[in-house]
Amino acid sequence: AIMITVGLSYFLMNLAQMLFTATPVSVPSNIKTAAVKVGSFSASLPRLIAFLAACLLIFLVWLFMQKTYMGHAMRATSEKPEVAQILGINTKVAFTVAFVLSVVLAGVAGLLLTPIYTIYPSVGSVLKTTALMIVVLGGMGSIPGALLGGIIVGIVEALVGTLIDATLGPAGIFVVFLLILYIRPQGLFGKGSRVA
């Protein structure tokens, strides 16, 4: 399944490149260069909107996963699909809802990032490595961990890019990622493996 997904990803990227070319394009937006100033500090308005929207979405997903039957069913299915089926959970529906939810969230993330980045067919491949690091850093399956991991990655990239060199931001993320995983292999909010 993983190999098929990776293959489909490359196929779609190349198809988009054939249809739309690889020339980076910028989405016209009135807020692209806008900034919010508080005293001597200023923040880019598109980045601020993306951050607040991400916080809201993370909270809504957390509520969904913790407070609804489907959220409990999805968590049970992800942990032990066979046991979930024995308990009467329709695992096919749980997998489908998880897939649809992930596609919707990825689409919203892309929408929020279009005023910030230029768009080209392989733009997602730049972001998916960072997203994977954030999930692992926060702890697999932990929604608050993903939020904290994202904030840490953003701060490290900004600090390294500002204080050292703009091109070394990703390198700084990798260093912090490896240090945290060396100290806490299960991630910041991850739980250790269960022992029977």
Side-chain angles (χ1 to χ4, degrees):
I2 292 171
M3 293 305 294
I4 290 170
T5 305
V6 171
L8 182 61
S9 168
Y10 280 112
F11 170 76
L12 291 174
M13 278 193 292
N14 285 287
L15 180 64
Q17 190 165 322
M18 286 170 56
L19 294 174
F20 306 110
T21 74
T23 307
V25 293
S26 181
V27 176
S29 174
N30 295 328
I31 65 165
K32 195 162 197 165
T33 56
V36 175
K37 291 187 179 180
V38 179
S40 59
F41 297 99
S42 67
S44 166
L45 184 58
R47 290 179 187 271
L48 187 61
I49 291 170
F51 173 72
L52 294 174
C55 289
L56 176 64
L57 287 170
I58 287 170
F59 177 69
L60 292 175
V61 169
W62 178 82
L63 272 181
F64 173 73
M65 295 299 285
Q66 297 291 330
K67 305 294 182 186
T68 65
Y69 169 79
M70 183 51 67
H72 290 289
M74 286 166 59
R75 287 166 57 205
T77 303
S78 71
E79 193 161 324
K80 290 280 183 188
E82 299 85 5
V83 176
Q85 278 185 321
I86 291 168
L87 293 172
I89 294 170
N90 189 336
T91 54
K92 287 184 179 179
V93 171
F95 280 124
T96 303
V97 171
F99 176 76
V100 169
L101 183 63
S102 64
V103 169
V104 168
L105 291 174
V108 172
L111 179 69
L112 291 170
L113 291 175
T114 50
I116 302 169
Y117 296 100
T118 53
I119 308 302
Y120 50 95
S122 59
V123 67
S125 58
V126 177
L127 301 171
K128 70 182 174 187
T129 305
T130 307
L132 180 62
M133 280 197 298
I134 288 169
V135 170
V136 174
L137 191 65
M140 297 293 282
S142 171
I143 295 172
L147 176 61
L148 182 61
I151 291 171
I152 289 171
V153 164
I155 290 171
V156 168
E157 188 173 17
L159 285 176
V160 171
T162 304
L163 301 175
I164 303 172
D165 190 338
T167 58
L168 291 178
I173 295 171
F174 276 108
V175 169
V176 171
F177 176 70
L178 292 172
L179 282 173
I180 291 176
L181 285 189
Y182 179 75
I183 296 165
R184 196 169 165 79
Q186 69 269 33
L188 295 171
F189 284 82
K191 296 174 180 145
S193 59
R194 293 184 181 179
V195 179

